[in-house]
Amino acid sequence: MMDLNAIWFLLVGVLITGYAVLDGFDLGVGVLHLFTRSETERRIHINAIGPVWDGNEVWLLTGGGALFAAFPMVYATIFSSFYLALMLVLTALIFRAVAMEFRGKLDSPGWRRLWDWSFGLGSLLPAILFGVAVGNILRGIPIDKDKVFTGSFIGLLNPYAILIGLLSFVLFTMHGAIYMSLKTDGALRERMRKWVFGTWMAFVILYLISTLATFFVARYLFESALERPVTWILFLLLPAAVLYIPVATKGEKYVRAFLASSATIVSIIGLAAAGMFPRLVPSITDLNYSLTIYNASSTPRTLTVMLIVALLGMPIVIAYTAYIYRVFKGKVVLGEESYH
C-alpha cells in the first residue's frame, strides 16, 4: 500500500507529465512557427494554440505549487541549482505570451517579424532547457551531505544533459507537428506531415543514443526500475506508441497519432520516475546524499491537508481542460477575432 509520501510523488509526477503533454505541443508549434512561409501560416500557428496555451501552463504552476507544498527542500534545491536556467525559461515563456498579444498591434512587417522571432525562440529555448534540467536530475547534481548544491551553472551544461535537451526539443517539435496536422488543411498540413516523419526519425535515433548514454551515466535508474511492475508496462507501451506514430500519420489518423505521441511522453517520464523512486533529486556526489520523498518532505499533517485540497482541485483542472479542448476542437479558421 502506498504511503502519503509515495502518493505525493505520484501526484507531482502526474502534474509534470500533464504539463509536458499539453504545453509540449505548444512549444513544438512555436518552434515550427520559425519555418512558416507566409503571414497566413504564421497566424494559423499562433491561433492553433491561442485558445489553450494559458490553460496548459496551469499544469506547470500547479506542479510547482505541489512540489513546494509536499517537498519544500526539493523545491528549494532545484530552484537554487537551476536559478539562471529557470530565469531564462521564465523570460522565454513571457516573451512567447507577449508576442501573441503584441504581434498584431501594429501593421508593420518589422514589428511582426520581431514578435514572430520572440514567439519562436520563446518556445525553442524552454523545449531544450526543460530537457537539460531533466538530464541533470537523472544524472544527479552535486549535493553534499548537508543537502546543499555545490555545483555551478556551467557544470549543468554537460554533454549528457545537452543530449537530453536535444531529445526533448525533437520530441516536442514532433508533438507540435502532429497537433498542427490536426488543426490544418492543404499544403500546410502536408508540410506538417513531413515534419512528423522527419522529427520522428530524429527522435528514435536520439532516444536510442540517450538510453545507451543513460546506462553509463546513471546506471542506478536501471537497477531500481527493473524491480517494479509498472516499469515493464511502460517498457511495452513506449515502443508500441513510438512505432504507431508514423503508421497513424501515414493513414491520416491524426487524433490517434497525437494520442500515440502523448503516450510516448507519458512513458518516457514514467520510466524515468520509476527508476528514480524514491529519490527526487539524486546526488552525483554520493547517492546517499540524495533528496528523497522521505528526507525532503513536509510533515504528515501538511501532506494530508494538501492531498485533500488536491483531490478537490484536480477534477476542476481536468474538467476545465477537457471543456476548453472540446469548445475549440476542429481546424483553425481565421477571422476578425483571431490573433493577428
Side-chain angles (χ1 to χ4, degrees):
M1 185 176 180
M2 297 179 67
D3 56 20
L4 272 174
N5 302 69
I7 290 173
W8 270 103
F9 179 89
L10 178 62
L11 285 177
V12 171
V14 167
L15 291 169
I16 293 174
T17 303
Y19 172 74
V21 169
L22 296 175
D23 206 38
F25 71 75
D26 287 346
L27 298 176
V29 171
V31 171
L32 293 168
H33 184 83
L34 294 170
F35 301 93
T36 50
R37 298 180 178 179
S38 67
E39 174 64 17
T40 299
E41 288 188 3
R42 286 186 278 275
R43 287 190 62 198
I44 289 174
H45 275 72
I46 291 175
N47 283 278
I49 66 169
V52 299
W53 72 268
D54 47 354
N56 294 341
E57 290 198 348
V58 168
W59 290 77
L60 177 63
L61 299 175
T62 308
L67 186 66
F68 174 75
F71 307 106
M73 190 178 296
V74 172
Y75 182 93
T77 300
I78 289 178
F79 275 74
S80 60
S81 306
F82 301 153
Y83 184 80
L84 183 54
L86 289 172
M87 288 301 101
L88 289 173
V89 168
L90 181 60
T91 301
L93 293 177
I94 290 173
F95 267 88
R96 183 183 70 162
V98 171
M100 297 176 68
E101 300 295 337
F102 278 25
R103 184 182 182 276
K105 297 301 181 183
L106 291 179
D107 189 13
S108 165
W111 174 265
R112 290 184 176 180
R113 193 177 305 114
L114 168 66
W115 294 112
D116 282 333
W117 278 99
S118 298
F119 179 65
L121 295 178
S123 302
L124 184 150
L125 193 61
I128 295 175
L129 289 180
F130 281 136
V132 171
V134 170
N136 276 290
I137 294 295
L138 296 178
R139 174 177 176 264
I141 62 176
I143 302 176
D144 63 18
K145 62 181 179 180
D146 297 318
K147 314 302 181 187
V148 176
F149 175 69
T150 59
S152 64
F153 174 74
I154 299 299
L156 299 176
L157 300 177
N158 55 81
Y160 177 75
I162 293 174
L163 174 62
I164 302 302
L166 292 175
L167 178 67
S168 68
F169 167 72
V170 171
L171 176 58
F172 288 153
T173 304
M174 178 184 71
H175 199 42
I178 295 172
Y179 181 76
M180 286 301 296
S181 298
L182 276 169
K183 305 296 286 184
T184 57
D185 276 316
L188 180 56
R189 185 169 70 177
E190 286 305 309
R191 290 214 311 280
M192 291 300 104
R193 281 163 51 89
K194 292 179 181 178
W195 272 99
V196 173
F197 292 124
T199 51
W200 178 85
M201 187 173 298
F203 166 74
V204 170
I205 294 171
L206 283 171
Y207 183 77
L208 293 175
I209 295 172
S210 299
T211 302
L212 181 62
T214 302
F215 181 78
F216 293 101
V217 172
R219 189 171 297 185
Y220 76 92
L221 291 170
F222 296 89
E223 295 171 352
S224 53
L226 296 177
E227 301 172 359
R228 302 186 175 95
V230 68
T231 301
W232 295 101
I233 296 174
L234 294 172
F235 185 74
L236 294 175
L237 175 62
L238 178 58
V242 171
L243 292 174
Y244 188 65
I245 290 173
V247 174
T249 302
K250 186 175 182 179
E252 299 186 358
K253 299 176 181 178
Y254 300 115
V255 173
R256 295 184 182 182
F258 185 78
L259 292 176
S261 181
S262 300
T264 299
I265 296 173
V266 172
S267 300
I268 290 174
I269 296 177
L271 286 169
M276 288 178 57
F277 185 85
R279 304 178 187 91
L280 287 164
V281 182
S283 171
I284 197 172
T285 306
D286 187 331
L287 276 179
N288 294 319
Y289 299 161
S290 301
L291 297 177
T292 71
I293 62 173
Y294 297 107
N295 67 16
S297 71
S298 296
T299 64
R301 176 171 293 184
T302 299
L303 295 179
T304 301
V305 172
M306 289 305 301
L307 179 60
I308 295 173
V309 173
L311 292 177
L312 293 174
M314 280 300 296
I316 297 174
V317 174
I318 294 172
Y320 163 81
T321 302
Y323 175 75
I324 291 299
Y325 278 91
R326 182 175 181 180
V327 169
F328 292 101
K329 68 180 180 179
K331 309 295 182 182
V332 175
V333 178
L334 298 179
E336 287 299 320
E337 297 181 355
S338 304
Y339 286 98
H340 288 271

